[in-house]
Amino acid sequence: MPTPSIAELHRPGAASNVLADSAPAAAMPPPPGFARLRSCIGLPQVSEVDVVRHFTRLSQESHGVDNGPYPLGSCTMKYNPKRNDELARLPGFACAHPMQDADTLGGVWEMYERLQAMVCEITGMDACCLAPAAGAQGEFAGLLMIRRHFARFGVHRPVVLVPDSAHGTNPASAAMAGFACRIVPSDAKGRVDRQLLRAMLTPEVAAFMLTNPSTLGLFEDQIVEIADAVHANGSLLYYDGANLNALMGIVRPGDMGFDLVHVNVHKTFSTPHGGGGPGAGPVAVKAALAQYLPGPVVVRRSGLAQPDGDRPLSIGRIKAFHGHVGVLLRAYGYLRTMGARGLRQASENAVLNANYLQHRLAPMLPPVYAQLCKHETLLSGAKLKTSVRQFAKRLIDYGIHPPTLVGAGCVYFPGDLKSAMLIEPTETETKASLDCQVDIFQRIFNEDAMDETLDGGARLGRKMARIDGN
Ligand SMILES: *Cc1c(COP(=O)(O)O)cnc(C)c1O
């Protein structure tokens, strides 16, 4: 049964008992120009307990990683430790005002300087700005830096290449930054088609934007050759580091040959971000591009962290004030808690979990590319009688958020892929939780095979069983 609206709960005469206002509004005349309404405005009449139940029920209709698995491929919906939220509420940070004098924000600059260094260490870059508000804004900042770099030397390079497996923000950011975008096709193994790439690397090309492992969960094993080809053409190699969940402490974009990168701290480094909540998309670059970084870039001078005021070649500010301090503080807390070894283990577990799910789900949803995956796996819906869409709706009935869907009416994906799901379990799901998810997938697959109507509207209220045994 769909949840009724508050208007449908209306019962004439039902009421809630609220203590009367000690200063009755009626005694005060309305301000000049305003008329007081004398008649009833038609608010629904509902008893107090029904009002409370109604809004509590609505709050439970919203799915987050705190009430069930959220295997949304590419987006890294991992569990976010609550201690990082507590850090973000520390009054020294939460009450700092962005218009305070910069020299009264010492704690913020200290945290920024350390976090910049951590982002550089993890990505293999030399300099970093934390200010961009999200991944897409980090891309935009990166592309503006690329533009400035070529403009500075009077070189006209109006084209950016992106692979067909790229996240949709890549071509959008390139267009916003004034570039024409050309799409590089994938080969049969889901990798960049290197022969086609070589043919597309013309003197017009400013940069190639790439994610590795790609949004298909596959590692580009010829990345060094690709980087060499891009650089031999005088172009730059941009790394879309929105999701670093497969490679923390294992391999670094800077060592693969990338020149600049953005990172979604709200995906990999702890911040609840479903539904478009605030995030942060730091950009990090090799030394040759450092002078173009947007502000603030925090430097340490005579032991004191402070924003660098002398950066004439900077592309300028990309975000009001200093960026999302609370989100960056969560990332700092996460990184300090995990440490280098912990980060590596998180990535290893994320990859292990994805391969475990890929293996166990294969009889129902075979992987599109039959090989080991990285942090996520693309599963084919070819065996389904209904559709991946109906399948995903049914998952919601069981308390699992739908994976990223590919196919008619769903997100765009490369090539002629008709129907698939991109699943990213993340490292924070236990084996017991993964097994429980596989059981649910199996039940839905059986329903589908029996040609039962997978009607997502029919809520059976069967939620994923609580998982015992850690
Ligand atoms: C999420 C994502 C982005 C965009 O990040 P936002 O913070 O949503 O702007 C870019 N690229 C990839 C691969 C992503 O997964």
Side-chain angles (χ1 to χ4, degrees):
M1 265 241 309
T3 304
S5 71
I6 189 79
E8 287 168 318
L9 293 179
H10 168 72
R11 276 184 302 115
S16 306
N17 289 314
V18 183
L19 289 179
D21 194 334
S22 57
M28 288 185 280
F34 288 84
R36 172 157 289 141
L37 196 68
R38 298 272 166 217
S39 58
C40 167
I41 61 168
L43 289 177
Q45 295 170 22
V46 184
S47 73
E48 183 169 331
V49 70
D50 284 346
V51 170
V52 170
R53 285 181 185 157
H54 176 72
F55 287 106
T56 303
R57 193 159 48 225
L58 282 186
S59 75
Q60 290 166 343
E61 301 258 305
S62 133
H63 185 91
V65 78
D66 286 355
N67 55 349
Y70 204 140
L72 191 64
S74 186
C75 289
T76 312
M77 293 288 186
K78 63 172 75 176
Y79 171 71
N80 297 291
K82 299 296 169 256
R83 60 181 294 172
N84 299 329
D85 291 340
E86 279 171 37
L87 278 183
R89 284 198 297 270
L90 285 174
F93 290 101
C95 301
H97 194 280
M99 290 178 84
Q100 267 174 244
D101 279 348
D103 55 8
T104 63
L105 290 171
V108 173
W109 304 135
E110 181 66 34
M111 186 269 286
Y112 270 37
E113 200 271 341
R114 294 182 192 188
L115 183 57
Q116 284 175 189
M118 290 175 183
V119 171
C120 287
E121 175 62 31
I122 291 168
T123 57
M125 295 288 156
D126 300 315
C128 172
C129 169
L130 303 170
Q137 210 186 25
E139 291 170 21
F140 182 57
L143 287 153
L144 290 182
M145 286 190 269
I146 293 169
R147 243 179 68 159
R148 167 137 312 178
H149 174 69
F150 288 113
R152 186 170 156 227
F153 297 105
V155 182
H156 185 57
R157 287 188 179 248
V159 173
V160 162
L161 303 181
V162 299
D164 58 4
S165 60
H167 192 274
T169 49
N170 291 185
S173 301
M176 266 183 71
F179 289 101
C181 206
R182 292 187 191 146
I183 308 296
V184 183
S186 301
D187 66 14
K189 283 168 66 194
R191 266 73 168 189
V192 171
D193 189 318
R194 279 172 287 139
Q195 224 169 340
L196 289 177
L197 173 66
R198 280 182 193 286
M200 294 177 78
L201 281 169
T202 63
E204 293 178 292
V205 173
F208 183 30
M209 298 178 85
L210 200 60
T211 308
N212 193 25
S214 72
T215 307
L216 307 174
L218 304 174
F219 193 79
E220 201 69 63
D221 44 10
Q222 302 300 313
I223 185 61
V224 174
E225 186 194 320
I226 290 173
D228 287 347
V230 169
H231 290 149
N233 191 54
S235 314
L236 295 169
L237 192 56
Y238 182 95
Y239 187 87
D240 175 347
N243 185 336
L244 291 183
N245 229 27
L247 50 71
M248 293 181 291
I250 297 170
V251 63
R252 311 191 306 169
D255 299 337
M256 293 186 227
F258 287 87
D259 302 294
L260 68 170
V261 48
H262 83 268
V263 171
N264 281 24
V265 303
H266 51 286
K267 284 180 184 169
T268 315
F269 304 131
S270 175
T271 271
H273 68 286
V283 273
V285 297
K286 285 285 171 73
L289 301 173
Q291 48 200 336
Y292 310 123
L293 279 170
V297 170
V298 178
V299 291
R300 194 175 292 280
R301 290 212 176 100
S302 7
L304 220 56
Q306 51 195 286
D308 187 354
D310 180 27
R311 308 189 52 253
L313 290 176
S314 163
I315 59 165
R317 291 276 170 154
I318 190 98
K319 174 85 181 76
F321 305 114
H322 320 311
H324 289 155
V325 179
V327 173
L328 295 165
L329 193 53
R330 284 178 177 87
Y332 177 72
Y334 180 81
L335 290 167
R336 287 296 301 266
T337 309
M338 298 292 282
R341 240 180 261 162
L343 289 179
R344 184 184 172 106
Q345 197 181 355
S347 279
E348 287 172 352
N349 289 351
V351 172
L352 183 64
N353 278 359
N355 278 286
Y356 182 68
L357 269 194
Q358 174 177 287
H359 175 73
R360 295 232 27 222
L361 295 175
M364 310 166 235
L365 303 161
V368 172
Y369 300 98
Q371 53 192 286
L372 287 178
C373 62
K374 293 292 176 244
H375 57 300
E376 56 194 356
T377 174
L378 188 67
L379 303 180
S380 163
K383 287 190 176 180
L384 298 178
K385 280 194 181 167
T386 57
S387 65
V388 283
R389 222 169 170 202
Q390 290 304 321
F391 197 97
K393 283 187 183 175
R394 196 75 176 107
L395 280 172
I396 302 173
D397 293 338
Y398 285 99
I400 299 181
H401 192 281
T404 305
L405 301 183
V406 182
C410 310
V411 299
Y412 166 81
F413 244 73
D416 50 2
L417 214 49
K418 294 280 182 310
S419 121
M421 315 181 186
L422 184 67
I423 294 193
E424 181 184 5
T426 81
E427 74 282 5
T428 55
E429 296 297 326
T430 60
K431 177 163 181 300
S433 163
L434 296 178
D435 288 336
C436 184
Q437 292 179 55
V438 171
D439 290 347
I440 289 169
F441 272 73
Q442 183 70 59
R443 258 192 262 178
I444 298 174
F445 186 74
N446 295 347
E447 289 174 3
D448 173 90
M450 285 159 61
D451 219 5
E452 283 178 16
T453 311
L454 295 185
D455 181 0
R459 290 200 156 268
L460 297 192
R462 277 189 279 167
K463 295 273 174 179
M464 189 171 137
R466 267 195 45 202
I467 301 152
D468 294 322
N470 306 313

